Every structure is written in structure tokens, then in C-alpha cells.
Amino acid sequence: TWLDWQGQRPRSVLVVAKPLSEQVLSVLNQLVSWLDSLQIKAVVEPHVVSRLADYEHLLLTFSQGEVLSGKFDLLICLGDDGTPARAASLFQYSAIPPTVVFDDCQSRQAQIFGFTSVPMEEYMQHLFPVLLPDRHPDHRLELSLRQRLQVTLQREVPVHGEHTSFHVLNEVFVHRGASGSLCKLEVLVEGEMVTLAQGDGVLIATPTGSAARSLSSGGSMIHPHVPSILITPVCPHSLSFRPIVLPQSVEVLVRVPASTRCQPTVGFDAEHGGTVQLNPGDALQITGSRYPMPLIRSVHVPPVDISPVKRPF
């Protein structure tokens, strides 16, 4: 998939930065000034404005809960692999603009299964062909569509006004929370019962999320170009329940049985997308989302680089 601006330059850019990082803040200051010199509007999160006092007059922001669909030509993420997940959570019910990610942590996992191996300090050379396509007519921008999951909350007793639909980039984590009891969860695939999971919880991850919590729980690492859904048990009580890789097209249902003794908690993208409590009879319906994250691949990074997996992490 290729990105074509159709003769137009990007005019409005949303910048999502890793919070409380002086390294990121320093690069963000430079980036905002540079975007202004190109006559491009920079939009940042509300909590960031106060930390960029010298450039406050150049910045735009948005209010919490504001619908951001269609307002930006480009999304820039500065930080680690958690920053794109937080950025994606801002677009819960709409398409995400083309995205460029710059990393402050050059981990081997990030290079192949994460988002990028491009350091933040090199943002200018990588953004020039993206922001100024008319000066680089022969430069083609490749897009990698990072899969997201759509999660629908199905309550046994509906709660008025509650959000029931979520889109996640990394994973959905259903766990026992603060309870000392085992978490019991029924796992169904395409309406067929697979298992009654007993343990600390269950992770349902995308290929991008397979290198995060799922990996820590013993799940497989899946290349982002493999369309799939990964189910990983967390500290299972039964040795017969192992990680399962399913096609992206299937529907997964995680249901709380009436016999459970704990009240499970659900976290979306490491709580970037919020948390909810489940009651007996409640369920989560999980399918592939129609709103992936379109990631602009740097021309300086090979499309498939498996060298990091040839040596231990």
C-alpha cells in the first residue's frame, strides 16, 4: 500500500508525545518550530501545551472527548512503543491518519515486531519526503497497515450511557484485578466453546501487541504483516491451555461464567484505552477492526528485517 497526497502538502499535524520525558520534550520543541517554518499547523494534547511555553503561540490543541476524525493530515508519535497505542486510542470510532513513529528506545524487539528503529533526533531527514512531497516527486511512501481489534462490551444488565465499543492496537487484557481468587473465563471462537480459562486472566492481542504483554506471558511473536489474533493465557491453572494463533477474520467471545468468584477487570492497550469491570454473564466480543493504523515506513528501514531474532534478546 502506498501513500499519495494527490499533489497536496499536509497542512495539519497531530503530535502525540511520551509524557514526562525530557528527551522527548526537547525534540518536540524543535519539531514544533520546524513545522511552523514549513507553515504546517502543529496540534498537541492539552497537557503538553503548558510544557512548551516558548512555542505556545504556535500550538493548537483539542478538548477531551472531542471527535478528531478527519481533522489531521498526519499523525506523528514521539516516544516508545506505548505512544502509538495511546495515539490510536484518540481515534476510537474513526480512521487514523497516516502515522510516523520516532522511537527513544532502540530495542531489538521494536526493530522487527514494534514500530520503528528510527531515532527521534533524525526526524527531519525522515519527515522531509513526507511533508514536502512536491520536492521529492520520485520518492514513494509505503504504508504498513497495523491491525486493530474492535471490542464490543455485552452486558447481562445494560448500563445506561456506558461506552460499549473500543478499538485497540495492542491487546485486550481480561484479568482478576485485585481479587485473590482465580479468574474464570469462557473462551469461544466463532460461537464454539474452546476452553474454560482459569488463572490470572487472558490476553487477546494483535500481531503488533504480540511483542508486549503477550510475549511476557509466554505468547508467540507474530510479524505485523501476518493478519491474525493471538489468545494468550496469563498464569493458567491448567497446563492444557496454551497460546492460540487464529485468523484475523474470526470472532472471539470472552464471557464471565455465573460460577466465577471474582469480578474481572478489562484493560485496553495497557489502560491507554480505559478499563471496565465485568460481572457474571458479561462478555466481550472481539473482531478485527475496520480502522487499522496506517504506518508510514521509513525508506531507511528494511521492510522485513529478521536479523534481531537471530540472537537472544
Side-chain angles (χ1 to χ4, degrees):
T1 304
W2 302 93
L3 175 63
D4 184 1
W5 293 117
Q6 298 182 344
Q8 300 293 323
R9 288 186 182 184
R11 293 299 180 189
S12 180
V13 174
L14 173 62
V15 183
V16 177
K18 179 181 178 181
L20 304 178
S21 170
E22 293 302 323
Q23 179 189 5
V24 172
L25 187 62
S26 174
V27 174
L28 182 56
N29 274 280
Q30 301 170 32
L31 176 61
V32 168
S33 177
W34 182 62
L35 290 175
D36 180 68
S37 70
L38 298 178
Q39 298 183 331
I40 296 175
K41 294 186 297 182
V43 183
V44 298
E45 297 170 278
H47 67 86
V48 175
V49 176
S50 61
R51 304 197 67 189
L52 299 175
D54 295 341
Y55 300 97
E56 190 170 351
H57 62 289
L58 303 178
L59 297 171
L60 298 175
T61 188
F62 53 90
S63 58
Q64 186 174 5
E66 181 179 344
V67 178
L68 303 181
S69 175
K71 294 186 177 181
F72 308 108
D73 301 316
L74 186 70
L75 170 62
I76 298 176
C77 297
L78 301 176
D80 52 22
D81 272 3
T83 307
R86 189 162 57 85
S89 70
L90 299 174
F91 299 87
Q92 279 294 315
Y93 310 106
S94 62
I96 303 174
T99 304
V100 184
V101 180
F102 297 100
D103 218 328
D104 67 345
C105 178
Q106 299 304 296
S107 69
R108 295 174 184 168
Q109 289 174 224
Q111 291 179 20
I112 179 171
F113 295 105
F115 285 92
T116 179
S117 58
V118 181
M120 289 188 299
E121 291 76 10
E122 299 178 10
Y123 70 86
M124 194 175 297
Q125 70 181 82
H126 293 274
L127 285 178
F128 255 122
V130 177
L131 299 176
L132 305 173
D134 50 332
R135 299 186 188 178
H136 303 79
D138 299 326
H139 187 101
R140 301 184 71 189
L141 299 173
E142 184 179 353
L143 288 177
S144 171
L145 299 180
R146 293 301 182 96
Q147 174 189 338
R148 288 206 289 174
L149 299 175
Q150 179 173 354
V151 185
T152 303
L153 175 61
Q154 300 177 345
R155 291 286 193 190
E156 180 80 2
V157 180
V159 178
H160 179 71
E162 182 181 39
H163 289 296
T164 58
S165 182
F166 306 85
H167 292 260
V168 299
L169 182 64
N170 284 342
E171 79 275 308
V172 186
F173 184 22
V174 189
H175 56 93
R176 62 187 178 89
S179 173
S181 302
L182 284 177
C183 183
K184 288 186 179 181
L185 298 167
E186 297 174 347
V187 180
L188 296 87
V189 176
E190 292 292 282
E192 296 291 329
M193 185 72 171
V194 174
T195 187
L196 174 65
Q198 299 185 77
D200 282 357
V202 171
L203 280 157
I204 300 90
T206 64
T208 298
S210 68
R213 285 181 172 178
S214 177
L215 178 65
S216 302
S217 301
S220 301
M221 297 180 74
I222 304 175
H223 195 278
H225 294 172
V226 179
S228 53
I229 296 175
L230 175 61
I231 303 177
T232 305
V234 180
C235 298
H237 187 62
S238 170
L239 296 178
S240 62
F241 187 13
R242 287 290 179 253
I244 308 169
V245 180
L246 301 169
Q248 180 187 353
S249 58
V250 305
E251 175 189 295
V252 177
L253 191 75
V254 179
R255 186 168 56 204
V256 182
S259 60
T260 186
R261 292 193 296 170
C262 77
Q263 188 179 35
T265 300
V266 185
F268 303 97
D269 277 343
E271 286 70 53
H272 291 308
T275 60
V276 298
Q277 296 286 331
L278 298 181
N279 300 309
D282 293 345
L284 297 173
Q285 180 191 51
I286 303 164
T287 58
S289 170
R290 59 175 177 165
Y291 299 123
M293 171 175 271
L295 185 71
I296 300 176
R297 187 183 69 81
S298 169
V299 294
H300 303 279
V301 181
V304 179
D305 175 17
I306 63 171
S307 59
V309 300
K310 295 179 181 179
R311 54 187 182 272
F313 288 108

